[in-house]
Amino acid sequence: MAAVFVTGGAGFIGSALVRQLLAESPYDIVNIDKLTYAGNPESLDGCVADPRYHFSRTDICDRAALDALFAQHRPCGVIHLAAESHVDRSIHSAGEFIQTNIVGTYTLLEAARAYWERLAEPARDAFRFHHVSTDEVFGSLGREGRFAETTAYDPRSPYSASKASSDHLVRAWHHTYGLPIVVSNCSNNYGPRQFPEKLIPLMILNAVAGKPLPIYGTGENVRDWLYVDDHARALHLVFERGAVGSTYCIGGNAEHTNLAVVDTLCGILDELHPRAGGGSYREQKVFVADRPGHDLRYAIDAGKITQKLGWSPRESFMSGLRRTVAWYLANHDWVAHVRNGEYRRWLETHYGSHP
Ligand code: NAD
Ligand code: TYD
């Protein structure tokens, strides 16, 4: 069966997508991932034994390595998730974001174009380059309104500006060279296997470790939360059935302030893992200096993907959050390994040094 490239498949969303594609599609999956601090092969434990799963530790900025992978596997499409993904890191050090998100996407587009231009019909017509992006490219909302496919771009953080650049490159490769692309822009994801620098896993792990729960500014900022498996299902649909050249906005219809998210998490933890000394985890909340340029509110109108492709989220925010808390409570080893320098050294010996 035809192969599909998934870039960033050892990351949070990529690993959920790889698991779902192996379970629910006939494709061979070629996971192309550099294994940065955010990439963890343990997130794919259940996949490694599957003969349809292939892994290549490759940087998407490495054109020669990408050309060799296209020649070897002859994929029918690419689902591109590899990226630097954390806003706070982009504020402190934007260089890797420019490199991977912009230069890496450009390099992957050029490798895909060179391969695609030599394909004969019907493979050429059927080929898809699916670029996975974020709602943060649209900027920040006030109290009213939602982002949709027609919203003008207005990125404000180094992360969102680098993702906006990559979205523009992908669309330009369609308009200029005819590369058959689709783009999706999704709201904040949460779920198992998210690196504990992001709000939800950070709060769960800090809470049970007895550490402070740092809330930026007033905690009134709003995000629209989507369970990661719902996003993966949307990606599968957009890849297979999205109209060439089109964009699809994906969102959870689950807007919550950061303060409400942390309070809800604390409530779930109080029930599933009561505090050793009694009292509620809410007592560990602290308000800290705000993130520079902190976007006030994100929210997605997912009407187009619902109407055109029949997608809607299956997980409610409460059920998804309970699953997520339970997963982090039960998976200490995964957490220890992603945080632990010794594990990074083990990775170097098993997967080779960084390309
Ligand atoms: P993540 O940080 O968990 O994973 C990123 C993966 O990309 C890692 O496995 C990493 O090793 C790999 N990678 C990084 N640089 C690479 C390079 N140069 N070459 C090859 N691989 C490289 O990210 P995530 O949260 O899973 O996000 C995946 C994608 O989805 C990103 O493109 C992100 O912008 C987008 N997105 C994320 C969210 C969210 O809430 N997390 C929401 C919408 C869109
Ligand atoms: P994050 O998970 O970093 O995602 P993004 O910035 O891409 O939306 O943050 C989600 C929200 O939580 C965002 O408004 C910033 C806030 N936040 C905190 O208040 N404290 C924290 O320690 C973190 C990591 C985030």
Side-chain angles (χ1 to χ4, degrees), residues 104-120:
T105 299
Y106 155 75
T107 309
L108 183 64
L109 279 167
E110 279 295 78
R113 180 168 78 94
Y115 163 76
W116 169 75
E117 281 178 343
R118 285 186 210 105
L119 286 176

Side-chain angles (χ1 to χ4, degrees), residues 6 71 87 142 172 183 233 257 269 282 310 355:
V6 176
V87 175
V183 176
R233 211 161 32 78
T257 65
L269 279 166
R282 292 191 178 99

Side-chain angles (χ1 to χ4, degrees), residues 173-190:
W173 259 242
H174 174 59
H175 289 291
T176 307
Y177 306 110
L179 187 71
I181 63 107
V182 281
V183 176
S184 54
N185 295 91
C186 187
S187 64
N188 283 64
N189 284 215
Y190 69 100

Side-chain angles (χ1 to χ4, degrees), residues 179-211:
L179 187 71
I181 63 107
V182 281
V183 176
S184 54
N185 295 91
C186 187
S187 64
N188 283 64
N189 284 215
Y190 69 100
R193 303 178 187 82
Q194 186 169 31
F195 194 83
E197 62 190 351
K198 306 278 168 59
L199 178 74
I200 287 176
L202 180 95
M203 293 296 166
I204 298 169
L205 297 174
N206 274 17
V208 297
K211 293 182 181 167

Side-chain angles (χ1 to χ4, degrees), residues 70-346:
F70 275 103
Q72 181 188 351
H73 295 283
R74 307 204 54 77
C76 66
V78 176
I79 310 181
H80 173 37
L81 296 96
E84 289 292 335
S85 68
H86 188 40
V87 175
D88 292 328
R89 281 182 192 257
S90 80
I91 293 169
H92 293 293
S93 175
E96 284 294 310
F97 290 73
I98 306 301
Q99 199 55 33
T100 287
N101 299 3
I102 305 177
V103 179
T105 299
Y106 155 75
T107 309
L108 183 64
L109 279 167
E110 279 295 78
R113 180 168 78 94
Y115 163 76
W116 169 75
E117 281 178 343
R118 285 186 210 105
L119 286 176
E121 296 297 359
R124 186 180 157 96
D125 194 42
F127 185 81
R128 289 292 175 277
F129 186 104
H130 178 174
H131 178 58
V132 178
S133 192
T134 165
D135 62 355
E136 303 190 25
V137 299
F138 299 122
S140 181
L141 291 164
R143 302 274 167 209
E144 301 293 318
R146 290 190 292 174
F147 300 131
E149 290 77 7
T150 49
T151 306
Y153 274 41
D154 184 20
R156 289 148 181 255
S157 73
Y159 164 66
S160 57
S162 69
K163 289 297 290 187
S165 307
S166 63
D167 292 14
H168 289 318
L169 289 174
V170 171
R171 292 196 185 101
W173 259 242
H174 174 59
H175 289 291
T176 307
Y177 306 110
L179 187 71
I181 63 107
V182 281
V183 176
S184 54
N185 295 91
C186 187
S187 64
N188 283 64
N189 284 215
Y190 69 100
R193 303 178 187 82
Q194 186 169 31
F195 194 83
E197 62 190 351
K198 306 278 168 59
L199 178 74
I200 287 176
L202 180 95
M203 293 296 166
I204 298 169
L205 297 174
N206 274 17
V208 297
K211 293 182 181 167
L213 308 179
I215 295 164
Y216 300 164
T218 61
E220 290 305 310
N221 304 66
V222 172
R223 298 293 182 261
D224 176 358
W225 293 96
L226 180 67
Y227 192 69
V228 65
D229 289 343
D230 279 326
H231 187 192
R233 211 161 32 78
L235 294 177
H236 186 181
L237 268 178
V238 170
F239 174 69
E240 286 189 340
R241 294 185 23 219
V244 171
S246 291
T247 296
Y248 295 85
C249 281
I250 305 167
N253 205 15
E255 288 184 53
H256 299 280
T257 65
N258 294 336
L259 204 49
V261 170
V262 175
D263 279 332
T264 308
L265 279 173
C266 289
I268 296 171
L269 279 166
D270 286 340
E271 190 191 324
L272 298 184
H273 191 271
R275 270 205 333 175
S280 169
Y281 288 103
R282 292 191 178 99
E283 292 160 32
Q284 291 168 224
K285 286 188 297 186
V286 289
F287 290 89
V288 300
D290 209 353
R291 171 188 281 173
H294 196 172
D295 289 338
L296 176 68
R297 177 171 163 257
Y298 305 141
I300 282 277
D301 173 354
K304 178 176 170 184
I305 187 170
T306 302
Q307 281 148 28
K308 302 269 186 205
L309 304 182
W311 175 88
S312 57
R314 287 182 186 159
E315 199 77 48
S316 76
F317 188 59
M318 273 312 287
S319 65
L321 222 45
R322 285 185 83 87
R323 269 176 194 268
T324 306
V325 171
W327 189 88
Y328 279 94
L329 291 175
N331 286 277
H332 296 289
D333 286 354
W334 185 95
V335 172
H337 287 164
V338 297
R339 287 175 153 174
N340 172 322
E342 198 172 313
Y343 177 65
R344 300 295 319 164
R345 285 190 289 283
W346 178 88

